[in-house]
Amino acid sequence: LVLIIPLFATELNLTTEDGFELHGWLEKPKNAMKTTPIVLLAHQFGSDHTSWDMLTKRLNEKGMATLSVDLRGHGKSTMQKGVENSVKIPKNTSEVRAAFDASAQKVGFSNIPQELIAWLELIEEDKSLDMQKLYLIGASLGGTSLIPVMNDYDAKALITLSAGKSRSSESDMALSSSLTKTYFIATKNDPLGANVNAIEYGKKAIAGTTLILSGDGHGTVLLPKVEKYIFLFLDLAR
Protein backbone atom coordinates (compact mmCIF):
# COMPACT_ATOMS: atom_id res chain seq x y z
CA LEU A 1 0.00 0.00 0.00
CA VAL A 2 1.39 3.39 -1.00
CA LEU A 3 0.21 6.18 1.27
CA ILE A 4 -0.34 9.61 -0.30
CA ILE A 5 -1.45 11.85 2.52
CA PRO A 6 -2.99 15.29 1.93
CA LEU A 7 -3.61 17.71 4.80
CA PHE A 8 -6.99 16.25 5.73
CA ALA A 9 -8.36 12.88 6.86
CA THR A 10 -7.38 10.02 4.58
CA GLU A 11 -9.31 6.77 4.70
CA LEU A 12 -7.13 3.67 4.92
CA ASN A 13 -8.11 0.02 4.49
CA LEU A 14 -6.86 -3.18 6.04
CA THR A 15 -8.03 -6.74 5.35
CA THR A 16 -7.69 -9.29 8.15
CA GLU A 17 -6.74 -12.94 7.83
CA ASP A 18 -10.34 -13.97 8.48
CA GLY A 19 -11.67 -11.62 5.80
CA PHE A 20 -12.81 -8.48 7.62
CA GLU A 21 -12.34 -5.27 5.64
CA LEU A 22 -11.33 -2.68 8.23
CA HIS A 23 -11.40 1.09 7.81
CA GLY A 24 -9.37 3.80 9.52
CA TRP A 25 -8.90 7.56 9.12
CA LEU A 26 -5.49 9.21 9.30
CA GLU A 27 -5.55 12.94 9.94
CA LYS A 28 -2.53 15.21 10.20
CA PRO A 29 -2.12 18.69 11.62
CA LYS A 30 -2.26 21.43 9.02
CA ASN A 31 0.97 23.12 8.01
CA ALA A 32 3.11 20.43 9.65
CA MET A 33 6.75 21.23 8.86
CA LYS A 34 8.35 18.11 10.38
CA THR A 35 7.54 14.59 11.47
CA THR A 36 4.59 14.55 13.86
CA PRO A 37 3.64 12.44 16.88
CA ILE A 38 0.86 9.94 16.16
CA VAL A 39 -2.13 9.00 18.31
CA LEU A 40 -4.04 5.74 17.71
CA LEU A 41 -7.65 5.89 18.93
CA ALA A 42 -9.88 2.85 19.48
CA HIS A 43 -13.57 3.35 20.25
CA GLN A 44 -15.94 1.54 22.60
CA PHE A 45 -18.40 -1.26 21.92
CA GLY A 46 -21.38 -0.20 19.81
CA SER A 47 -19.72 3.02 18.64
CA ASP A 48 -17.36 3.98 15.80
CA HIS A 49 -14.41 6.27 15.04
CA THR A 50 -16.58 9.40 14.96
CA SER A 51 -16.93 9.29 18.75
CA TRP A 52 -13.42 10.77 18.82
CA ASP A 53 -14.09 13.65 16.40
CA MET A 54 -13.79 16.50 18.88
CA LEU A 55 -10.71 15.00 20.52
CA THR A 56 -8.95 14.34 17.22
CA LYS A 57 -9.56 17.94 16.21
CA ARG A 58 -7.92 19.14 19.42
CA LEU A 59 -5.01 16.74 18.99
CA ASN A 60 -4.45 17.93 15.42
CA GLU A 61 -4.50 21.54 16.61
CA LYS A 62 -1.75 20.64 19.09
CA GLY A 63 0.45 19.27 16.30
CA MET A 64 -0.34 15.56 16.62
CA ALA A 65 -1.50 13.24 13.84
CA THR A 66 -4.36 10.86 14.62
CA LEU A 67 -5.45 7.46 13.36
CA SER A 68 -9.01 6.65 14.46
CA VAL A 69 -10.29 3.25 13.35
CA ASP A 70 -13.58 1.40 13.15
CA LEU A 71 -13.07 -1.86 15.05
CA ARG A 72 -14.30 -5.08 13.43
CA GLY A 73 -18.08 -5.29 13.38
CA HIS A 74 -18.47 -1.54 13.89
CA GLY A 75 -19.01 1.49 11.65
CA LYS A 76 -17.71 0.78 8.15
CA SER A 77 -15.76 -2.31 9.31
CA THR A 78 -18.68 -4.73 9.04
CA MET A 79 -17.98 -6.68 5.85
CA GLN A 80 -16.38 -10.10 6.25
CA LYS A 81 -15.69 -12.02 3.04
CA GLY A 82 -18.39 -10.00 1.30
CA VAL A 83 -21.04 -10.68 3.97
CA GLU A 84 -22.11 -8.20 6.65
CA ASN A 85 -21.10 -9.21 10.18
CA SER A 86 -22.02 -6.48 12.66
CA VAL A 87 -22.15 -6.31 16.43
CA LYS A 88 -25.48 -6.58 18.20
CA ILE A 89 -26.53 -3.12 19.37
CA PRO A 90 -28.19 -3.10 22.83
CA LYS A 91 -31.46 -1.20 23.19
CA ASN A 92 -30.67 -0.02 26.71
CA THR A 93 -27.99 -0.24 29.41
CA SER A 94 -29.40 -3.43 30.91
CA GLU A 95 -28.80 -5.26 27.62
CA VAL A 96 -25.18 -4.15 27.12
CA ARG A 97 -23.51 -7.17 28.72
CA ALA A 98 -25.61 -9.71 26.81
CA ALA A 99 -25.10 -7.85 23.52
CA PHE A 100 -21.37 -7.55 24.15
CA ASP A 101 -20.93 -11.25 24.94
CA ALA A 102 -22.93 -12.28 21.87
CA SER A 103 -21.01 -9.86 19.66
CA ALA A 104 -17.62 -10.89 21.04
CA GLN A 105 -18.12 -14.44 19.79
CA LYS A 106 -19.99 -13.51 16.62
CA VAL A 107 -17.53 -10.89 15.42
CA GLY A 108 -14.35 -12.10 17.12
CA PHE A 109 -13.24 -9.39 19.54
CA SER A 110 -10.15 -11.41 20.55
CA ASN A 111 -8.62 -10.44 17.18
CA ILE A 112 -8.81 -6.69 17.81
CA PRO A 113 -5.47 -6.21 19.63
CA GLN A 114 -3.53 -7.81 16.79
CA GLU A 115 -5.44 -5.68 14.28
CA LEU A 116 -4.52 -2.52 16.15
CA ILE A 117 -0.90 -3.61 15.84
CA ALA A 118 -1.46 -4.18 12.12
CA TRP A 119 -2.73 -0.61 11.77
CA LEU A 120 0.47 0.69 13.33
CA GLU A 121 2.58 -1.50 11.05
CA LEU A 122 0.70 -0.06 8.09
CA ILE A 123 1.32 3.58 8.93
CA GLU A 124 5.00 2.96 9.67
CA GLU A 125 5.44 3.37 5.90
CA ASP A 126 4.52 7.04 6.24
CA LYS A 127 7.80 8.79 7.03
CA SER A 128 6.04 12.02 8.02
CA LEU A 129 4.91 10.28 11.22
CA ASP A 130 7.21 9.93 14.23
CA MET A 131 6.53 6.40 15.48
CA GLN A 132 8.92 7.06 18.37
CA LYS A 133 6.26 9.44 19.66
CA LEU A 134 3.29 7.08 19.65
CA TYR A 135 0.30 7.56 21.96
CA LEU A 136 -2.63 5.18 22.51
CA ILE A 137 -6.14 6.26 23.55
CA GLY A 138 -9.09 3.91 23.88
CA ALA A 139 -12.55 3.67 25.40
CA SER A 140 -14.09 0.55 26.96
CA LEU A 141 -13.52 -2.29 24.42
CA GLY A 142 -10.99 -0.14 22.57
CA GLY A 143 -9.10 0.67 25.75
CA THR A 144 -8.86 -2.97 26.77
CA SER A 145 -7.73 -3.96 23.28
CA LEU A 146 -4.93 -1.39 23.28
CA ILE A 147 -3.22 -2.78 26.39
CA PRO A 148 -1.54 -5.76 24.59
CA VAL A 149 -0.25 -3.36 21.92
CA MET A 150 2.36 -2.27 24.47
CA ASN A 151 4.03 -5.67 24.02
CA ASP A 152 4.93 -4.67 20.45
CA TYR A 153 5.25 -0.89 20.61
CA ASP A 154 7.00 1.36 23.13
CA ALA A 155 4.28 3.98 23.25
CA LYS A 156 4.84 7.20 25.16
CA ALA A 157 1.46 6.86 26.86
CA LEU A 158 -1.70 4.77 27.03
CA ILE A 159 -4.95 6.40 28.18
CA THR A 160 -8.15 4.41 28.66
CA LEU A 161 -11.68 5.55 29.44
CA SER A 162 -13.76 2.88 31.23
CA ALA A 163 -11.58 -0.01 30.06
CA GLY A 164 -13.26 -3.40 30.13
CA LYS A 165 -11.92 -6.43 31.97
CA SER A 166 -9.23 -8.39 30.14
CA ARG A 167 -8.54 -12.07 30.71
CA SER A 168 -5.67 -12.05 28.24
CA SER A 169 -2.20 -13.10 29.38
CA GLU A 170 -0.85 -10.64 26.80
CA SER A 171 -2.48 -7.79 28.74
CA ASP A 172 -0.93 -8.91 32.03
CA MET A 173 2.45 -9.19 30.33
CA ALA A 174 2.15 -5.71 28.84
CA LEU A 175 1.15 -4.10 32.13
CA SER A 176 3.91 -5.81 34.11
CA SER A 177 6.74 -5.22 31.62
CA SER A 178 6.03 -2.05 29.61
CA LEU A 179 7.53 1.27 30.70
CA THR A 180 4.75 3.13 28.87
CA LYS A 181 3.03 5.67 31.12
CA THR A 182 -0.54 4.47 31.59
CA TYR A 183 -3.64 6.36 32.72
CA PHE A 184 -6.82 4.47 33.58
CA ILE A 185 -9.93 6.63 33.94
CA ALA A 186 -13.39 5.49 35.10
CA THR A 187 -16.33 6.69 37.19
CA LYS A 188 -17.01 5.51 40.72
CA ASN A 189 -20.39 4.03 39.76
CA ASP A 190 -19.56 2.77 36.29
CA PRO A 191 -22.47 0.53 35.20
CA LEU A 192 -20.12 -2.11 33.75
CA GLY A 193 -17.57 -2.24 36.56
CA ALA A 194 -14.85 -0.28 34.78
CA ASN A 195 -13.93 1.41 38.09
CA VAL A 196 -12.74 -1.94 39.44
CA ASN A 197 -10.83 -2.65 36.23
CA ALA A 198 -9.13 0.77 36.32
CA ILE A 199 -7.86 0.18 39.86
CA GLU A 200 -6.60 -3.30 39.00
CA TYR A 201 -4.82 -2.10 35.86
CA GLY A 202 -3.24 0.79 37.72
CA LYS A 203 -1.82 -1.59 40.32
CA LYS A 204 -0.41 -3.98 37.72
CA ALA A 205 1.18 -1.34 35.50
CA ILE A 206 4.78 -0.29 36.13
CA ALA A 207 3.98 3.37 35.45
CA GLY A 208 0.25 3.27 36.11
CA THR A 209 -2.02 6.09 37.25
CA THR A 210 -5.73 5.69 38.02
CA LEU A 211 -8.35 8.44 38.07
CA ILE A 212 -11.77 7.62 39.54
CA LEU A 213 -14.42 10.28 38.92
CA SER A 214 -17.77 10.80 40.61
CA GLY A 215 -20.85 9.72 38.68
CA ASP A 216 -21.76 6.76 36.51
CA GLY A 217 -20.72 7.75 32.97
CA HIS A 218 -18.99 5.27 30.71
CA GLY A 219 -16.54 5.62 27.81
CA THR A 220 -16.33 8.69 25.61
CA VAL A 221 -19.25 10.35 27.40
CA LEU A 222 -16.54 11.29 29.93
CA LEU A 223 -14.51 13.33 27.45
CA PRO A 224 -15.93 16.76 28.36
CA LYS A 225 -14.96 16.12 32.00
CA VAL A 226 -11.53 14.61 31.43
CA GLU A 227 -10.17 16.24 28.28
CA LYS A 228 -7.97 18.62 30.27
CA TYR A 229 -6.55 15.69 32.25
CA ILE A 230 -5.85 13.80 29.04
CA PHE A 231 -3.84 16.66 27.56
CA LEU A 232 -1.98 17.21 30.82
CA PHE A 233 -1.03 13.54 30.89
CA LEU A 234 0.08 13.63 27.25
CA ASP A 235 2.28 16.63 28.02
CA LEU A 236 3.85 14.86 30.98
CA ALA A 237 4.50 11.72 28.91
CA ARG A 238 6.39 13.55 26.12
Side-chain angles (χ1 to χ4, degrees), residues 139-141 143-144 147 161-166 192 194 197 201 218:
S140 198
L141 171 63
T144 310
I147 294 175
L161 305 177
S162 314
K165 187 174 182 60
S166 174
L192 300 176
N197 303 334
Y201 290 146
H218 183 87

Side-chain angles (χ1 to χ4, degrees), residues 27-194:
E27 189 162 4
K28 297 182 180 180
K30 294 181 179 179
N31 304 320
M33 301 300 292
K34 57 182 180 179
T35 56
T36 58
I38 176 69
V39 185
L40 174 62
L41 300 109
H43 62 78
Q44 64 203 64
F45 170 65
S47 185
D48 63 26
H49 76 283
T50 62
S51 61
W52 299 114
D53 280 355
M54 291 304 297
L55 183 61
T56 56
K57 180 180 179 181
R58 290 288 308 279
L59 290 166
N60 295 152
E61 290 172 350
K62 288 183 175 290
M64 307 178 82
T66 56
L67 175 61
S68 50
V69 301
D70 279 351
L71 304 179
R72 59 165 55 211
H74 295 78
K76 290 188 66 175
S77 300
T78 58
M79 298 305 293
Q80 183 179 25
K81 297 180 180 179
V83 179
E84 185 174 2
N85 186 4
S86 304
V87 298
K88 295 181 178 296
I89 302 299
K91 296 179 181 179
N92 51 58
T93 304
S94 65
E95 296 182 2
V96 171
R97 288 187 182 278
F100 181 92
D101 291 342
S103 298
Q105 188 167 11
K106 176 176 180 286
V107 174
F109 287 169
S110 61
N111 295 292
I112 293 177
Q114 191 57 46
E115 289 159 5
L116 293 171
I117 292 172
W119 277 117
L120 294 176
E121 292 173 345
L122 178 64
I123 63 172
E124 281 181 345
E125 300 178 25
D126 187 338
K127 301 307 178 185
S128 71
L129 302 175
D130 188 351
M131 298 300 292
Q132 299 303 311
K133 296 180 180 178
L134 169 67
Y135 301 84
L136 310 171
I137 301 178
S140 198
L141 171 63
T144 310
S145 300
L146 281 170
I147 294 175
V149 174
M150 297 189 296
N151 288 321
D152 289 71
Y153 283 88
D154 294 324
K156 289 287 187 180
L158 163 70
I159 299 173
T160 71
L161 305 177
S162 314
K165 187 174 182 60
S166 174
R167 297 176 177 83
S168 165
S169 59
E170 286 80 6
S171 292
D172 288 341
M173 183 185 303
L175 292 169
S176 63
S177 63
S178 175
L179 296 178
T180 294
K181 293 180 175 63
T182 52
Y183 198 21
F184 304 103
I185 302 171
T187 56
K188 181 178 180 180
N189 299 309
D190 185 279
L192 300 176

Side-chain angles (χ1 to χ4, degrees), residues 62 135 230-238:
K62 288 183 175 290
Y135 301 84
I230 290 175
F231 282 104
L232 177 61
F233 192 79
L234 292 175
D235 288 340
L236 292 173
R238 292 189 178 187

